[in-house]
Amino acid sequence: MNRIAVLGSANMDLVVRQPRVPRPGETIFGSGFTIGPGGTGLNQAVAAARLGAAVDFLGMVGADQHGEQLRGVLATEGIRDAGLEWSMTPTGTAHISVVDSGENSIVVVPGANADLAELTEVQRSAITAAAFLVLQCEMPVSVLTEGLVAARAAGVFTVLTPAPAMALPDGLLDLVDLIVPNRLEAAELSGETDPVRAAEVLSRGGRWAIVTLGAEGAVVAFDGAALGLAPARPVRAVDTTAAGDTFVGALVARLVCGARNERAAAGAGAGAAEAAGAFAGAEAAGASAGASAGGGTSETGGGTSETGGESAGAAPLRAVGVTETEMIDAVRWATVAASVSVTRQGATTSMPTRAEVTAILT
């Protein structure tokens, strides 16, 4: 039961390094070009597996060289791929421009990802047997909805990254337990430009919302109320491409196999209490995030840090069983993982292992 099912995209990333964003009609020289595995779904699956979670990946790739390579990545990372289907459409690609400051812009060509019209029995079984279902918006909305409905019926905790931003069908968010947008996605979904207010709007109805603000941290809210600002862990960013995916994958991995198991073995640990003490309250969150709303930060949700709230003995805030203390601890881990990823180039190549994150936190 302690598995994560990731229903999402698998792409090959075509990455060009360049000094700056060219003006319309302008040609500039780049300084490097790489090809590697990517896709928001696959990235999140790899991040979760590196942090020690048991992961099933559900999606579709083309019957081509890129598709074979992506299956090889999953095998290397110990991720089960029984739910990864073949398509005659070419494997999806992401065309990524990374400027020297570390910021990026991405154009995704969905390819085979768009061909998954409905869940297979294998995919549905993986979802209903999981503890968490992680989704993004790089798959057909009908499939996302089908996955969310199946998860909700089975009592599976659902996590949605609404990227790329799009209008969601009425009622879809009612099936989501945690939504993790970046600043721009949160504004589009909520109609609020202030990230604190956006987090509050998106968390209404007994839902968690974490709005990532790049180098400025993240706002965490639950059930219509901002709990506080999670400040960023300062690092020198080299490439923010996979920061948001690393954050989400690490967050869910920690929730499914981290603090809860440790506390069961050793009682309430000092780590949770320490994380709770490092939390900036909702008032401070409003002042900090609001003041920086126009700042030039990564849109990928890079490096965030501790959140907090009520006492370490808080009761579950939802029937599916994630407490405020567990969310505090998970965001703390996700912060460190994301902050490591932005110091390295690439997507999956930048993601840290559990040992690396543990070394920083101890």
Side-chain angles (χ1 to χ4, degrees), residues 257-277:
C257 63
R260 182 178 308 192
N261 294 339
E262 291 173 5
R263 285 199 301 276
E274 178 184 341

Side-chain angles (χ1 to χ4, degrees), residues 14-333:
L14 312 178
V15 185
V16 61
R17 191 88 190 190
Q18 59 198 61
R20 58 177 175 82
V21 177
R23 296 183 295 272
E26 180 185 18
T27 298
I28 64 173
F29 284 106
S31 58
F33 176 74
T34 58
I35 300 177
T40 303
L42 186 142
N43 288 346
Q44 292 177 349
V46 170
R50 295 254 178 102
L51 269 292
V55 182
D56 289 275
F57 185 76
L58 319 174
M60 183 167 280
V61 293
D64 51 26
Q65 183 179 4
H66 286 168
E68 291 283 4
Q69 290 172 335
L70 293 177
R71 282 186 180 273
V73 170
L74 296 175
T76 298
E77 299 292 341
I79 299 169
R80 292 202 305 206
D81 68 353
L84 182 60
E85 296 294 310
W86 294 107
S87 170
M88 295 310 296
T89 302
T91 299
T93 54
H95 305 259
I96 305 171
S97 297
V98 181
V99 298
D100 287 344
S101 68
E103 300 292 344
N104 68 80
S105 57
I106 305 173
V107 176
V108 174
V109 180
N113 294 298
D115 285 355
L116 187 62
E118 60 183 5
L119 295 176
T120 67
E121 285 305 313
V122 171
Q123 292 169 339
R124 181 178 291 274
S125 295
I127 289 172
T128 57
F132 289 78
L133 171 63
V134 179
L135 316 93
Q136 321 78 35
C137 293
E138 293 182 352
M139 304 290 286
V141 174
S142 60
V143 174
L144 300 183
T145 303
E146 187 180 355
L148 287 167
V149 170
R152 178 52 57 91
V156 177
F157 192 98
T158 56
V159 182
L160 174 67
T161 302
M166 64 178 64
L168 299 176
D170 291 342
L172 187 140
L173 280 184
D174 293 336
L175 301 171
V176 174
D177 295 304
L178 166 63
I179 184 169
V180 191
N182 65 27
R183 183 201 307 272
L184 299 180
E185 294 153 359
E188 182 162 337
L189 288 173
S190 68
E192 300 284 349
T193 56
D194 172 52
V196 175
R197 181 60 182 155
E200 291 175 336
V201 170
L202 292 174
S203 69
R204 289 173 180 167
R207 180 169 42 253
W208 288 97
I210 301 176
V211 178
T212 57
L213 307 173
E216 296 161 20
V219 177
V220 180
F222 178 77
D223 199 19
L227 303 182
L229 174 69
R233 176 175 179 264
V235 294
R236 181 181 178 276
V238 172
D239 183 354
T240 62
T241 300
D245 297 340
T246 301
F247 181 86
V248 172
L251 180 84
V252 180
R254 184 62 177 174
L255 286 173
V256 79
C257 63
R260 182 178 308 192
N261 294 339
E262 291 173 5
R263 285 199 301 276
E274 178 184 341
F279 182 61
E283 182 177 347
S288 177
S292 62
T297 62
S298 165
E299 296 175 5
T300 61
T304 55
S305 188
E306 297 95 332
T307 65
E310 298 177 3
S311 68
L317 292 173
R318 287 192 66 92
V320 287
V322 171
T323 69
E324 190 170 330
T325 296
E326 288 166 340
M327 191 65 78
I328 292 167
D329 176 79
V331 174
R332 181 172 181 247
W333 272 71

